[in-house]
Amino acid sequence: MTRNIACPNCKEPSIGYWKKQFLGPARTIGCSRCGARISVSAIRFLPILGFILATAPILRTLDRLEYGFVSYAGAFVLFLLITVLYQHFFMPLVVRTRLPGE
């Protein structure tokens, strides 16, 4: 059984791990318990965006090395792991829209 993440509105564990992984500041999902629209913090998303943009030149340089594809693939997996861990542990969920009456 997977552990769900607590909704910032109702504090009930109702947000799945993979649902949070695919959230961005412009994408929202509904809480399965209270129905509030949930997203991630736009300010906390900026470091991930900067990290992704900074990795492009690094990956391009690694692709031109002697072990091009191997180093490129290894770096890609490392960068992917870093962004997934950042998204899970340091990216807070925020309520975008509350239901009427709350």
Side-chain angles (χ1 to χ4, degrees), residues 71-90:
S71 60
Y72 180 83
F76 180 77
V77 168
L78 177 66
F79 293 142
L80 186 65
L81 179 65
I82 290 170
T83 56
V84 164
L85 290 174
Y86 180 85
Q87 176 89 354
H88 181 68
F89 290 109
F90 300 108

Side-chain angles (χ1 to χ4, degrees), residues 1 4 12 14-15 28 40 68 71 76 84 86 91 94:
M1 182 170 176
N4 287 332
E12 293 291 327
S14 60
I15 310 295
T28 63
V40 294
S71 60
F76 180 77
V84 164
Y86 180 85
M91 187 79 65
V94 293

Side-chain angles (χ1 to χ4, degrees), residues 39-93:
S39 185
V40 294
S41 170
I43 298 297
R44 288 277 183 95
F45 191 75
L46 290 177
I48 238 176
L49 185 61
F51 183 72
I52 290 169
L53 293 175
T55 59
I58 294 169
L59 290 176
R60 186 176 304 136
T61 303
L62 287 174
D63 191 34
R64 295 182 180 158
L65 294 177
E66 183 177 344
Y67 299 106
F69 180 74
V70 174
S71 60
Y72 180 83
F76 180 77
V77 168
L78 177 66
F79 293 142
L80 186 65
L81 179 65
I82 290 170
T83 56
V84 164
L85 290 174
Y86 180 85
Q87 176 89 354
H88 181 68
F89 290 109
F90 300 108
M91 187 79 65
L93 293 172

